[in-house]
């Protein structure tokens, strides 16, 4: 598989690290950047919109898509399937847009296998205490649920060293700036600039 014009970024984080809010702001503040909308079999949560937050599909539909080879990657996370449809991602990259995949470590491994030129970013919470506070604030969950979320978070964090970049989300604006810097630096790489600056380079070297 060939990744031509845009760059594919993988962003993983334990739930409670603030990944979704950071990526939403990143997309609002940067041009030529899209966030891939995943397919999932999990139920819709209040406030979520089909086609915007996820493509919510049945298990049958998801399994049919697996059989058809429609996924760039997919995984079972917390009892449900989650996956990234291949074609929309490749189409965006082809038209020169950077694409962000908000996926877990299992999906990240599959994408690195298929598209080794991707860049992966792991977002960490600033401390265990803050992570726990953030997991609690989500609602009136039982202690058992909180404890399970903490274990799940630790299992995700255990894969931090498979990623190219680590960003700590303590101060939101700083973490946002760091994410922007990663995207901007990637856009300035020779392989991307050479094509964009053909005319300038020709003129300067004439
Ligand atoms: P949530 O159900 O809270 O929206 O997401 C749960 C977890 O599923 C998160 O860790 C998120 O990164 C992961 N996830 C969401 N979409 C995908 C996907 O398309 N592929 C994979 N592998 N993981 C995903």
């Amino acid at each position: 598989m060939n990744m031509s014009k845009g760059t594919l970024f993988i962003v993983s984080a334990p739930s409670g690290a603030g990944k979704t809010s950071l990526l939403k702001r990143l997309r609002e503040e940067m041009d030529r950047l899209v966030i891939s909308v995943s397919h999932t079999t999990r139920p819709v949560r209040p406030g979520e919109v089909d086609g915007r937050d996820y493509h919510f599909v049945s298990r049958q539909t998801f399994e049919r898509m697996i059989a058809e080879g429609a996924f760039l990657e997919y995984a079972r996370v917390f009892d449900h399937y989650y996956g990234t449809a291949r074609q929309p991602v490749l189409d965006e990259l082809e038209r020169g847009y950077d694409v962000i995949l908000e996926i877990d470590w299992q999906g990240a491994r599959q994408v690195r296998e298929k598209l080794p030129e991707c860049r992966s970013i792991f977002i960490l919470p600033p401390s265990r205490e803050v992570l726990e506070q953030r997991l609690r604030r989500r609602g009136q969950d039982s202690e058992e649920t909180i404890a399970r979320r903490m274990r799940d978070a630790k299992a995700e964090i255990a894969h931090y060293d498979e990623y190219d970049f680590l960003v700590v989300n303590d101060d939101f604006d700083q973490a946002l700036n760091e994410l922007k810097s990663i995207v901007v630096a990637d856009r300035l790489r020779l392989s991307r600039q050479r094509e964009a600056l053909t005319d300038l380079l020709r003129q300067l070297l004439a």
Side-chain angles (χ1 to χ4, degrees), residues 152-196:
D152 291 339
K154 200 170 155 187
E156 184 75 23
I157 294 170
H159 294 276
Y160 77 91
D161 66 351
E162 298 168 22
Y163 289 74
D164 300 311
F165 298 95
L166 296 179
V167 169
V168 177
N169 182 19
D170 185 2
D171 179 74
F172 184 91
D173 289 322
Q174 187 183 337
L176 180 66
N177 272 327
E178 290 173 357
L179 288 174
K180 277 187 200 165
S181 308
I182 293 169
V183 176
V184 170
D186 186 80
R187 290 179 176 180
L188 299 175
R189 276 186 304 121
L190 174 64
S191 57
R192 294 185 73 173
Q193 287 286 68
R194 199 180 341 230
E195 204 180 323

Side-chain angles (χ1 to χ4, degrees), residues 125-162:
S127 69
R128 214 182 146 78
E129 290 70 29
V130 169
L131 177 66
E132 188 168 335
Q133 278 166 24
R134 288 180 187 167
L135 290 177
R136 270 178 202 284
R137 229 182 285 144
R138 295 199 161 180
Q140 313 94 330
D141 300 297
S142 65
E143 283 306 310
E144 195 186 314
T145 304
I146 304 292
R148 201 201 57 233
R149 287 197 189 137
M150 286 299 284
R151 279 197 303 277
D152 291 339
K154 200 170 155 187
E156 184 75 23
I157 294 170
H159 294 276
Y160 77 91
D161 66 351
E162 298 168 22

Side-chain angles (χ1 to χ4, degrees), residues 11-15 19-20 36-40 42-43 45 48 53-54 62 71 73-78 80-85 101-108 110 138 156:
V11 178
S12 301
S15 99
K19 171 181 59 165
T20 306
S36 165
V37 179
S38 295
H39 284 69
T40 185
R42 84 147 160 75
R45 290 189 194 130
E48 286 182 331
D53 299 290
Y54 282 102
F62 200 100
F71 288 116
E73 61 75 34
Y74 70 92
R76 261 191 102 82
V77 187
F78 316 137
H80 292 288
Y81 278 127
Y82 293 82
T84 306
L101 306 183
E102 223 183 308
I103 62 178
D104 81 325
W105 67 272
Q106 306 174 79
Q110 298 168 43
R138 295 199 161 180
E156 184 75 23

